[in-house]
Amino acid sequence: MTGRSASPVPWTAVGTTRHKASVYGVHGAQGKTYWKAFATRRQLRSESEAVEWASLPVGAVSGEHRHTRTEEIYLVLSGSGDLLLNGREHPVRAGSLALTSVGNVHGLHNTGDTPLDWWVIETLAPATTAVLAGAQPPTGADMTKAVVHDLFEERTVDTSGVFSGPLKRVELVELPSGGKRVLGRDDAELALFVHEGEGVVSAEGVTEVVRLAAGTCLLLSAGSRTEFTAGTPLRLAVVTLAVAREGGSE
Protein backbone atom coordinates (compact mmCIF):
# COMPACT_ATOMS: atom_id res chain seq x y z
CA MET A 1 0.00 0.00 0.00
CA THR A 2 1.26 3.49 -0.76
CA GLY A 3 0.15 6.61 1.04
CA ARG A 4 -0.31 10.20 -0.11
CA SER A 5 2.50 11.64 -2.19
CA ALA A 6 3.57 15.11 -3.30
CA SER A 7 3.55 13.84 -6.89
CA PRO A 8 0.35 14.41 -8.89
CA VAL A 9 -0.63 10.75 -9.27
CA PRO A 10 -4.41 10.43 -9.00
CA TRP A 11 -4.28 7.11 -7.14
CA THR A 12 -3.72 7.68 -3.42
CA ALA A 13 -3.46 3.99 -2.55
CA VAL A 14 -2.49 0.89 -4.54
CA GLY A 15 -2.22 -2.64 -3.19
CA THR A 16 -2.71 -6.32 -3.88
CA THR A 17 -3.90 -9.29 -1.84
CA ARG A 18 -0.35 -10.60 -1.59
CA HIS A 19 1.45 -10.37 1.78
CA LYS A 20 -1.78 -10.71 3.73
CA ALA A 21 -1.90 -10.95 7.51
CA SER A 22 -3.09 -13.99 9.46
CA VAL A 23 -5.80 -13.17 11.99
CA TYR A 24 -6.91 -15.51 14.77
CA GLY A 25 -10.30 -15.33 16.49
CA VAL A 26 -11.80 -12.66 14.23
CA HIS A 27 -14.92 -11.22 15.86
CA GLY A 28 -14.78 -13.93 18.51
CA ALA A 29 -14.73 -16.92 16.14
CA GLN A 30 -12.16 -19.68 16.48
CA GLY A 31 -9.46 -20.43 13.92
CA LYS A 32 -7.40 -18.48 11.41
CA THR A 33 -8.54 -16.08 8.72
CA TYR A 34 -6.64 -13.70 6.42
CA TRP A 35 -6.87 -9.92 6.10
CA LYS A 36 -5.32 -7.02 4.18
CA ALA A 37 -5.94 -3.25 4.51
CA PHE A 38 -5.63 -1.30 1.26
CA ALA A 39 -6.54 2.14 2.61
CA THR A 40 -7.39 3.64 5.99
CA ARG A 41 -8.33 7.13 7.19
CA ARG A 42 -4.85 8.42 6.30
CA GLN A 43 -5.53 7.82 2.60
CA LEU A 44 -9.29 8.43 2.56
CA ARG A 45 -10.71 11.90 2.03
CA SER A 46 -14.32 10.76 2.38
CA GLU A 47 -15.80 10.03 5.81
CA SER A 48 -14.64 6.44 5.53
CA GLU A 49 -12.94 4.04 7.88
CA ALA A 50 -11.17 1.51 5.66
CA VAL A 51 -10.97 -0.39 2.38
CA GLU A 52 -9.98 -4.00 3.10
CA TRP A 53 -9.86 -7.57 1.82
CA ALA A 54 -10.47 -10.73 3.84
CA SER A 55 -10.44 -14.48 3.28
CA LEU A 56 -11.94 -17.45 5.11
CA PRO A 57 -10.34 -20.90 4.73
CA VAL A 58 -12.69 -23.83 4.18
CA GLY A 59 -14.99 -24.20 7.19
CA ALA A 60 -13.84 -20.95 8.82
CA VAL A 61 -16.12 -18.30 10.33
CA SER A 62 -15.98 -14.54 10.68
CA GLY A 63 -17.95 -14.12 13.90
CA GLU A 64 -21.29 -12.36 14.14
CA HIS A 65 -20.97 -8.77 15.38
CA ARG A 66 -23.12 -5.66 15.57
CA HIS A 67 -22.23 -2.52 13.65
CA THR A 68 -22.57 0.37 16.07
CA ARG A 69 -20.72 3.13 14.19
CA THR A 70 -20.10 2.21 10.54
CA GLU A 71 -21.99 1.29 7.39
CA GLU A 72 -20.28 -1.60 5.61
CA ILE A 73 -20.34 -3.55 2.37
CA TYR A 74 -19.21 -7.12 1.86
CA LEU A 75 -18.62 -8.05 -1.80
CA VAL A 76 -17.92 -11.76 -2.20
CA LEU A 77 -15.12 -12.24 -4.73
CA SER A 78 -14.76 -16.03 -4.78
CA GLY A 79 -15.99 -19.09 -2.95
CA SER A 80 -19.36 -19.69 -1.34
CA GLY A 81 -20.89 -19.68 2.10
CA ASP A 82 -23.59 -18.32 4.36
CA LEU A 83 -23.93 -14.68 5.32
CA LEU A 84 -25.42 -14.48 8.81
CA LEU A 85 -27.55 -11.35 8.85
CA ASN A 86 -29.59 -10.55 11.96
CA GLY A 87 -29.84 -14.24 12.79
CA ARG A 88 -30.82 -15.39 9.30
CA GLU A 89 -28.64 -17.29 6.83
CA HIS A 90 -28.28 -15.97 3.29
CA PRO A 91 -26.38 -18.17 0.79
CA VAL A 92 -23.65 -16.12 -0.90
CA ARG A 93 -21.25 -16.65 -3.79
CA ALA A 94 -19.02 -14.55 -6.06
CA GLY A 95 -20.92 -11.34 -6.82
CA SER A 96 -23.03 -11.34 -3.66
CA LEU A 97 -23.06 -7.82 -2.22
CA ALA A 98 -24.27 -7.22 1.33
CA LEU A 99 -25.15 -3.71 2.55
CA THR A 100 -25.15 -3.53 6.34
CA SER A 101 -26.22 -0.29 8.04
CA VAL A 102 -25.63 0.75 11.64
CA GLY A 103 -27.43 -1.39 14.22
CA ASN A 104 -27.39 -4.65 12.26
CA VAL A 105 -25.57 -7.88 13.10
CA HIS A 106 -23.65 -9.87 10.51
CA GLY A 107 -21.09 -12.65 10.15
CA LEU A 108 -19.82 -15.01 7.46
CA HIS A 109 -19.27 -18.79 7.28
CA ASN A 110 -17.35 -20.56 4.51
CA THR A 111 -19.45 -23.63 3.67
CA GLY A 112 -17.75 -24.33 0.33
CA ASP A 113 -14.68 -26.33 -0.64
CA THR A 114 -12.45 -23.37 -1.61
CA PRO A 115 -11.42 -20.19 0.25
CA LEU A 116 -14.12 -17.53 0.52
CA ASP A 117 -12.66 -14.10 -0.33
CA TRP A 118 -14.48 -10.80 0.05
CA TRP A 119 -13.92 -7.05 -0.28
CA VAL A 120 -14.84 -4.86 2.66
CA ILE A 121 -15.47 -1.11 2.78
CA GLU A 122 -16.51 0.63 6.00
CA THR A 123 -17.79 4.22 6.07
CA LEU A 124 -18.86 6.42 8.95
CA ALA A 125 -22.56 6.97 9.51
CA PRO A 126 -23.57 10.65 9.88
CA ALA A 127 -24.31 10.10 13.57
CA THR A 128 -20.78 8.81 14.10
CA THR A 129 -19.27 11.73 12.20
CA ALA A 130 -21.28 14.17 14.31
CA VAL A 131 -20.14 12.59 17.59
CA LEU A 132 -16.50 12.60 16.49
CA ALA A 133 -16.84 16.31 15.67
CA GLY A 134 -18.39 17.05 19.06
CA ALA A 135 -21.79 17.86 17.55
CA GLN A 136 -25.27 16.61 18.32
CA PRO A 137 -25.98 13.46 16.25
CA PRO A 138 -29.05 13.45 14.00
CA THR A 139 -32.15 11.80 15.44
CA GLY A 140 -34.57 9.39 13.87
CA ALA A 141 -31.99 7.41 11.89
CA ASP A 142 -33.35 4.17 10.44
CA MET A 143 -31.04 1.43 11.69
CA THR A 144 -33.04 -1.53 10.41
CA LYS A 145 -31.79 -1.79 6.84
CA ALA A 146 -29.60 -4.67 5.65
CA VAL A 147 -29.84 -5.92 2.06
CA VAL A 148 -28.12 -8.55 -0.10
CA HIS A 149 -27.74 -7.94 -3.85
CA ASP A 150 -26.16 -9.81 -6.76
CA LEU A 151 -23.76 -7.24 -8.23
CA PHE A 152 -22.74 -9.48 -11.14
CA GLU A 153 -26.39 -9.69 -12.21
CA GLU A 154 -27.58 -6.18 -11.32
CA ARG A 155 -24.31 -4.48 -12.34
CA THR A 156 -25.12 -1.26 -10.46
CA VAL A 157 -26.37 -1.00 -6.88
CA ASP A 158 -27.51 2.34 -5.44
CA THR A 159 -27.19 2.36 -1.63
CA SER A 160 -29.78 5.09 -0.97
CA GLY A 161 -32.47 3.88 1.37
CA VAL A 162 -29.97 1.66 3.20
CA PHE A 163 -26.90 3.85 3.77
CA SER A 164 -26.88 7.50 4.79
CA GLY A 165 -23.09 8.05 4.70
CA PRO A 166 -20.58 8.56 1.87
CA LEU A 167 -20.84 5.14 0.20
CA LYS A 168 -23.31 5.94 -2.56
CA ARG A 169 -22.95 3.31 -5.26
CA VAL A 170 -21.33 0.00 -6.22
CA GLU A 171 -20.84 -0.67 -9.92
CA LEU A 172 -19.44 -3.44 -12.11
CA VAL A 173 -17.23 -2.18 -14.98
CA GLU A 174 -16.14 -4.66 -17.67
CA LEU A 175 -13.74 -3.93 -20.51
CA PRO A 176 -12.93 -6.22 -23.45
CA SER A 177 -9.31 -6.95 -24.34
CA GLY A 178 -7.83 -3.67 -25.62
CA GLY A 179 -10.76 -1.66 -24.28
CA LYS A 180 -10.27 1.68 -22.53
CA ARG A 181 -12.28 3.61 -19.94
CA VAL A 182 -11.60 6.85 -18.07
CA LEU A 183 -12.81 6.82 -14.46
CA GLY A 184 -12.99 9.62 -11.92
CA ARG A 185 -15.43 12.03 -10.28
CA ASP A 186 -15.15 15.54 -8.96
CA ASP A 187 -17.43 14.91 -5.98
CA ALA A 188 -16.17 11.49 -4.89
CA GLU A 189 -13.13 9.30 -4.54
CA LEU A 190 -13.41 5.87 -6.14
CA ALA A 191 -12.32 2.57 -4.63
CA LEU A 192 -11.70 -0.12 -7.27
CA PHE A 193 -10.98 -3.83 -7.05
CA VAL A 194 -9.80 -5.93 -10.00
CA HIS A 195 -11.89 -9.09 -9.94
CA GLU A 196 -10.60 -10.59 -13.20
CA GLY A 197 -8.13 -9.79 -15.96
CA GLU A 198 -5.00 -7.74 -16.52
CA GLY A 199 -4.33 -4.20 -17.69
CA VAL A 200 -2.74 -0.89 -16.84
CA VAL A 201 -3.82 2.48 -15.45
CA SER A 202 -2.35 5.79 -16.51
CA ALA A 203 -3.11 9.49 -16.28
CA GLU A 204 -2.28 12.53 -18.39
CA GLY A 205 0.98 14.13 -17.31
CA VAL A 206 1.89 11.25 -14.97
CA THR A 207 4.88 9.07 -15.78
CA GLU A 208 3.97 6.32 -13.31
CA VAL A 209 2.00 3.42 -14.78
CA VAL A 210 0.31 0.86 -12.55
CA ARG A 211 -0.10 -2.69 -13.82
CA LEU A 212 -3.34 -4.41 -12.93
CA ALA A 213 -4.01 -8.05 -12.14
CA ALA A 214 -6.75 -9.87 -10.28
CA GLY A 215 -6.55 -8.89 -6.62
CA THR A 216 -5.33 -5.33 -7.23
CA CYS A 217 -7.10 -2.50 -5.36
CA LEU A 218 -6.82 1.22 -6.12
CA LEU A 219 -8.16 4.38 -4.51
CA LEU A 220 -8.65 7.27 -6.96
CA SER A 221 -8.64 10.86 -5.69
CA ALA A 222 -11.71 13.05 -6.03
CA GLY A 223 -11.29 15.45 -8.94
CA SER A 224 -8.85 13.18 -10.80
CA ARG A 225 -9.18 11.20 -14.02
CA THR A 226 -7.52 7.83 -14.64
CA GLU A 227 -7.51 5.77 -17.84
CA PHE A 228 -7.89 2.00 -17.58
CA THR A 229 -6.65 -0.12 -20.49
CA ALA A 230 -7.49 -3.83 -20.56
CA GLY A 231 -4.75 -6.23 -21.68
CA THR A 232 -7.18 -9.10 -21.25
CA PRO A 233 -10.92 -8.87 -20.49
CA LEU A 234 -11.05 -6.80 -17.31
CA ARG A 235 -13.69 -6.82 -14.59
CA LEU A 236 -13.65 -4.07 -11.97
CA ALA A 237 -15.81 -3.44 -8.93
CA VAL A 238 -16.09 0.33 -8.42
CA VAL A 239 -17.37 2.01 -5.24
CA THR A 240 -18.30 5.69 -5.08
CA LEU A 241 -17.29 7.41 -1.82
CA ALA A 242 -18.67 10.97 -1.72
CA VAL A 243 -16.42 13.66 -0.28
CA ALA A 244 -17.66 16.62 1.73
CA ARG A 245 -18.28 19.76 -0.26
CA GLU A 246 -17.22 23.17 0.97
CA GLY A 247 -19.33 23.96 4.01
CA GLY A 248 -19.22 20.38 5.27
CA SER A 249 -22.07 18.73 3.35
CA GLU A 250 -21.77 15.89 0.85
Side-chain angles (χ1 to χ4, degrees):
M1 180 173 69
T2 59
R4 293 193 184 276
S5 169
S7 62
V9 293
W11 38 89
T12 54
V14 180
T16 72
T17 56
R18 297 192 302 271
H19 310 299
K20 53 189 176 286
S22 298
V23 181
Y24 292 85
V26 64
H27 295 304
Q30 295 184 349
K32 180 170 70 172
T33 62
Y34 299 98
W35 172 85
K36 177 73 175 280
F38 293 118
T40 62
R41 288 188 192 178
R42 292 177 300 170
Q43 290 82 31
L44 291 155
R45 183 179 161 195
S46 60
E47 293 290 341
S48 298
E49 184 85 354
V51 178
E52 305 164 316
W53 169 92
S55 180
L56 289 175
V58 174
V61 173
S62 175
E64 293 178 84
H65 57 286
R66 184 180 301 276
H67 274 255
T68 59
R69 53 189 296 276
T70 61
E71 300 174 330
E72 183 175 46
I73 64 165
Y74 280 4
L75 173 60
V76 178
L77 303 165
S78 63
S80 60
D82 287 327
L83 173 71
L84 308 172
L85 192 56
N86 297 321
R88 294 181 56 192
E89 292 185 351
H90 298 262
V92 292
R93 59 182 182 179
S96 295
L97 173 67
L99 312 182
T100 305
S101 63
V102 173
N104 289 277
V105 177
H106 69 184
L108 197 56
H109 179 200
N110 183 351
T111 60
D113 55 8
T114 61
L116 193 160
D117 298 347
W118 74 104
W119 197 31
V120 184
I121 299 182
E122 288 191 80
T123 59
L124 300 181
T128 304
T129 300
V131 169
L132 291 175
Q136 184 69 27
T139 59
D142 185 352
M143 300 193 301
T144 64
K145 298 293 182 65
V147 182
V148 181
H149 293 269
D150 186 337
L151 180 65
F152 291 176
E153 179 178 326
E154 299 175 47
R155 303 188 65 81
T156 300
V157 173
D158 186 327
T159 67
S160 59
V162 181
F163 289 173
S164 53
L167 201 163
K168 303 300 184 183
R169 181 164 123 156
V170 185
E171 179 183 5
L172 191 68
V173 172
E174 294 182 298
L175 297 176
S177 181
K180 296 179 182 291
R181 173 93 175 257
V182 175
L183 296 174
R185 290 183 55 154
D186 292 335
D187 60 351
E189 54 190 351
L190 300 180
L192 301 99
F193 190 94
V194 181
H195 183 252
E196 291 181 357
E198 297 180 351
V200 296
V201 296
S202 59
E204 185 176 354
V206 177
T207 58
E208 180 181 352
V209 175
V210 173
R211 298 195 177 279
L212 302 176
T216 304
C217 182
L218 295 92
L219 180 67
L220 305 184
S221 302
S224 68
R225 298 294 184 269
T226 299
E227 184 175 71
F228 288 72
T229 303
T232 64
L234 194 62
R235 171 183 277 177
L236 308 171
V238 183
V239 172
T240 300
L241 299 169
V243 297
R245 298 193 184 107
E246 196 171 331
S249 62
E250 289 180 354

